[in-house]
Amino acid sequence: MEKHYTDSKVKGVSTGTTILAAIFDGGVVIGSDSRASMGGEYVSSKTINKVIQVHDRIFCCMAGSLADAQAVIKSAKSHLSFHSVQMESPPLVIAAASVLKELCYKNKDELQAGFLTAGWDSKKGAQVYVVSLGGMLISQQVTIGGSGSTYIYGYIDAKYKPNMTREECLQFATNALALAMGRDNVSGGVAHLVVITGKGVEHVVVPGDKLPRFHDE
């Protein structure tokens, strides 16, 4: 007799998202789609912002269980706020990523969430870190995550290049999100993008009807 498992601990939870971060000459772009789903089958929101500010020039993107991710980010923001008061200076980007790593690792048996952390600090400039499910921390020039990322690895490998201009990187990120959203049925909505440099932070929202369209759409 065929067995059908419904327990999420057995078959996992597919929530659907597309997140990315990429370093350019002088800064970093971090972005995501805006669709939230329940179990990968029911779209619960089309307008959620998955790019969360954890400090002045440090942002995170979340993928996985929304409730888990929000709880971790709320705790991380509290840690970083206290840290900045203690140090009397803004936290480093690696400090923010390390806080997320510790929270994910210590609660790895209860959490189903991963994060991209991107930002700028006066010590190392623009940086991108990946905190994966379970608490692994790595630094990368460009990275993608979520269910939609499986459709755009080829595009990322072919089109990303170091030392892009701000405009080139913003277009690169917009195209990548548009491609993923066009192919992944649980990624969609609008593209939320944040540009972080030594001069400040800029938020860019690209509505769904303004996203680039490709020949097969």
Side-chain angles (χ1 to χ4, degrees):
M1 185 182 209
E2 185 179 357
K3 294 182 179 180
H4 297 277
Y5 296 101
T6 57
D7 190 335
S8 64
K9 291 183 179 179
V10 175
K11 73 171 187 176
V13 177
S14 175
T15 53
T17 193
T18 304
I19 57 177
L20 65 83
I23 292 175
F24 63 89
D25 185 17
V28 60
V29 172
I30 184 169
S32 76
D33 72 315
S34 66
R35 183 174 291 174
S37 60
M38 298 176 64
E41 298 173 356
Y42 171 73
V43 176
S44 57
S45 175
K46 298 179 181 179
T47 58
I48 189 168
N49 185 2
K50 303 170 190 174
V51 186
I52 308 298
Q53 188 172 24
V54 295
H55 210 271
D56 294 346
R57 294 184 187 178
I58 306 174
F59 286 74
C60 288
C61 273
M62 51 192 177
S65 167
L66 180 60
D68 289 355
Q70 287 177 330
V72 170
I73 288 177
K74 183 177 180 180
S75 181
K77 289 172 72 172
S78 177
H79 277 74
L80 290 172
S81 178
F82 184 61
H83 173 77
S84 65
V85 171
Q86 283 184 311
M87 301 300 293
E88 297 183 341
S89 64
L92 300 177
V93 183
I94 184 62
S98 297
V99 168
L100 288 169
K101 180 202 74 170
E102 287 299 316
L103 290 169
C104 289
Y105 180 74
K106 288 179 179 178
N107 301 281
K108 60 182 178 293
D109 294 330
E110 286 78 35
L111 295 176
Q112 291 192 344
F115 303 89
L116 305 184
T117 304
W120 186 96
D121 61 49
S122 58
K123 184 175 182 179
K124 289 188 176 181
Q127 298 150 73
V128 171
Y129 297 96
V130 181
V131 179
S132 64
L133 186 69
M136 182 178 71
L137 173 63
I138 57 174
S139 172
Q140 294 186 311
Q141 288 284 305
V142 60
T143 190
I144 53 179
S147 59
S149 66
T150 59
Y151 298 90
I152 57 173
Y153 276 104
Y155 177 83
I156 299 298
D157 289 342
K159 296 297 184 180
Y160 179 78
K161 57 180 187 268
N163 301 317
M164 287 192 288
T165 66
R166 173 195 172 281
E167 290 72 23
E168 287 174 332
C169 193
L170 197 55
Q171 189 62 59
F172 162 80
T174 303
N175 288 347
L177 288 174
L179 282 165
M181 291 158 68
R183 288 160 174 77
D184 179 28
N185 68 332
V186 284
S187 294
V190 306
H192 286 286
L193 296 158
V194 177
V195 183
I196 313 163
T197 67
K199 296 180 179 179
V201 172
E202 178 187 0
H203 297 257
V204 178
V205 178
V206 185
D209 60 352
K210 302 296 183 182
L211 286 168
R213 303 191 71 82
F214 299 90
H215 68 89
D216 59 342
E217 295 185 77

